[in-house]
Amino acid sequence: MSRELKNLLYEHVARVGKALSSPKRLELLELLAQGEKTVEVLANEAAIDMKLASAHLRVLKESRLVEARRDGRFIAYRLSGDDVAALWANLHTVATEHLVELRMALNTIVAEPERLTAETRLSLLNKASQGDVVVLDVRPEAEYQSAHLPHARSIPLPELKRRLAELPKDKEIVAYCRGPFCLMSNEAADLLRKRGYKVSKISDGVAEWAAAGLPVEISD
Amino acid sequence: MSRELKNLLYEHVARVGKALSSPKRLELLELLAQGEKTVEVLANEAAIDMKLASAHLRVLKESRLVEARRDGRFIAYRLSGDDVAALWANLHTVATEHLVELRMALNTIVAEPERLTAETRLSLLNKASQGDVVVLDVRPEAEYQSAHLPHARSIPLPELKRRLAELPKDKEIVAYCRGPFCLMSNEAADLLRKRGYKVSKISDGVAEWAAAGLPVEISD
DNA sequence: ACAACACTCTAATAATCGTTAGAGTGTTGA
DNA sequence: TCAACACTCTAACGATTATTAGAGTGTTGT
């Protein structure tokens, strides 16, 4: 008697799983984890047709992972909650942990599969608050405004070359961007390293950072 | 140039999402979160054909969420790691949090949608360790052996009626089972309440408990 | 009121998935 | 060595899903 009701429960959860079963939707979700964005922006950044982006966003909306809001002629989407960003972080962590193919694919892109531990994160937070390291956010400024790591400084990747003067040569610099699948911080680190800066990169984005239970800052 | 490589990453993660997109697979995953089980047991408990169970388990295995091990004539499946159980807990939490339909469906089954907070869990752990409450595990004994909440006592639901003498009438009893979608602890609580016991039920199973960062016990 | 814009909705196709049936594989006990 | 067992694999079907095109909707600026 309760079997059909139980099946109903699993079916509802499976709706969320289904929303997470398409690469494009995951990419959109990661972009939305950086902050609210319009369909046009999302389509551009994910390099897909706007109609297709709209269709995928509809699925995400029906599974209640994202919410939409009309802003003039634009429609802006955002995650339904911080727990959705945490779910995304959890999902790609499990995938990276267990899927050998994913780890190999990651290795062909960046020779750095190491994940941050609770200690490295805390020590970074500590050093950042004391000014011992410069935490560098290389995402677009709007995403920095939406949320960023504590004490982080914003220099979007395209502006980095002409804003080098803002960075100290004697301090350690730690660059980050959208998360483990984002290459902006790699490019930034390569650029800075060539110019003689002491720079490293971390794979965390704000979603991963928050999912680890650490605080993020929001620019008013 | 890096776009195809990036797509590859999302495709791999989507494989895990795809594995989570079928109600039957989620049910199997929840059963496996209780411990290692054979295909036959899984098929019986999920009330599906063994061939179908085998097919679903194959998908789960290909997405590396579960592992298989031959044990004589039987093949036993288990989760690939604790992070998989945590992912399942995270998934159904997000679903329950945001999907109105799921919450309503849950309400028709149990009139109790409340989720445990960090404080309730800690206070339960505290009271249990001091013997102020009896934590009662009503799952099959094998699942208790595999992992159970700290200080929990095992009385499988089918044996409860004839083992009432083991439970005190003056102490608070807290029953639990496989998780928020499992009804065994509800049945147990109903039974005990009718007999005059001071009993309540929590929605946590070992997966939810562990996902909250709390320790679980394993019987040797 | 009208055109331009930023989407969304509907419809239609090809590709993929869930489920079942039947044959095949590896293991155990006689 | 053989039968029984506990699965897995292959093939096949109907049912979904991804993607695109074309028409439709609500908003803004003139």
Side-chain angles (χ1 to χ4, degrees), chain A residues 2-3 5-24 26-27 30 45-47 62-65 67 80-84 86-88 90-102 105-106 108-109 178 180-183, chain B residues 2-3 5-24 26-27 30 45-47 62-65 67 80-84 86-88 90-102 105-106 108-109 178 180-183:
Chain A
S2 70
R3 174 123 294 270
L5 288 168
K6 267 202 86 172
N7 286 343
L8 192 62
L9 299 182
Y10 290 111
E11 265 164 41
H12 283 304
V13 182
R15 277 176 52 193
V16 177
K18 208 165 285 181
L20 302 173
S21 71
S22 146
K24 302 266 166 58
L26 292 177
E27 187 167 5
E30 189 190 36
E45 299 203 307
E62 277 165 3
S63 69
R64 306 301 150 93
L65 292 178
E67 293 168 349
S80 308
D82 295 340
D83 52 349
V84 177
L87 179 59
W88 156 243
N90 204 334
L91 182 67
H92 74 63
T93 301
V94 168
T96 317
E97 194 65 31
H98 297 295
L99 269 180
V100 194
E101 300 91 327
L102 175 54
L106 254 177
T108 65
I109 293 178
R178 286 170 177 157
F181 298 166
C182 175
L183 304 175
Chain B
S2 69
R3 173 124 294 270
L5 287 169
K6 266 202 88 171
N7 285 345
L8 191 63
L9 298 183
Y10 290 110
E11 264 163 42
H12 283 305
V13 183
R15 277 174 54 191
V16 177
K18 208 165 286 179
L20 301 172
S21 71
S22 147
K24 303 263 167 59
L26 291 176
E27 188 167 3
E30 189 189 36
E45 300 202 308
E62 277 165 3
S63 68
R64 307 299 151 92
L65 291 178
E67 293 167 352
S80 308
D82 295 339
D83 52 349
V84 177
L87 178 60
W88 156 242
N90 204 333
L91 182 68
H92 75 63
T93 301
V94 168
T96 317
E97 194 66 30
H98 297 295
L99 269 181
V100 194
E101 301 91 326
L102 175 54
L106 254 178
T108 66
I109 293 178
R178 286 171 179 156
F181 298 166
C182 175
L183 303 174

Side-chain angles (χ1 to χ4, degrees), chain B residues 33-95:
Chain B
Q34 314 306 321
E36 198 182 56
K37 285 171 192 281
T38 66
V39 182
E40 191 171 38
V41 169
L42 288 166
N44 276 337
E45 300 202 308
I48 55 176
D49 187 58
M50 197 175 70
K51 283 176 181 171
L52 183 53
S54 177
H56 280 303
L57 287 166
R58 186 193 185 197
V59 176
L60 287 172
K61 196 164 106 184
E62 277 165 3
S63 68
R64 307 299 151 92
L65 291 178
V66 308
E67 293 167 352
R69 174 179 74 86
R70 195 173 255 282
D71 181 18
R73 291 184 295 186
F74 298 89
I75 295 185
Y77 280 84
R78 63 174 175 280
L79 298 189
S80 308
D82 295 339
D83 52 349
V84 177
L87 178 60
W88 156 242
N90 204 333
L91 182 68
H92 75 63
T93 301
V94 168

Side-chain angles (χ1 to χ4, degrees), chain A residues 48-66:
Chain A
I48 55 176
D49 187 57
M50 197 174 69
K51 284 175 182 172
L52 183 53
S54 178
H56 280 304
L57 287 166
R58 187 191 183 196
V59 176
L60 288 172
K61 197 165 105 182
E62 277 165 3
S63 69
R64 306 301 150 93
L65 292 178
V66 308

Side-chain angles (χ1 to χ4, degrees), chain A residues 116-126 148-150 204 206-217:
Chain A
L116 295 190
T117 63
E119 301 87 60
T120 22
R121 275 189 260 248
L122 277 176
S123 123
L124 174 61
L125 182 57
N126 231 11
H148 54 82
L149 296 207
D204 272 15
V206 287
E208 291 74 23
W209 189 265
L214 294 164
V216 297
E217 282 176 3

Side-chain angles (χ1 to χ4, degrees), chain A residues 158-177:
Chain A
E159 299 174 23
L160 186 57
K161 208 172 276 183
R162 69 177 124 90
R163 289 176 61 183
L164 284 173
E166 298 176 31
L167 293 170
K169 282 228 169 181
D170 55 329
K171 272 189 196 162
E172 204 192 328
I173 298 171
V174 173
Y176 78 94
C177 48

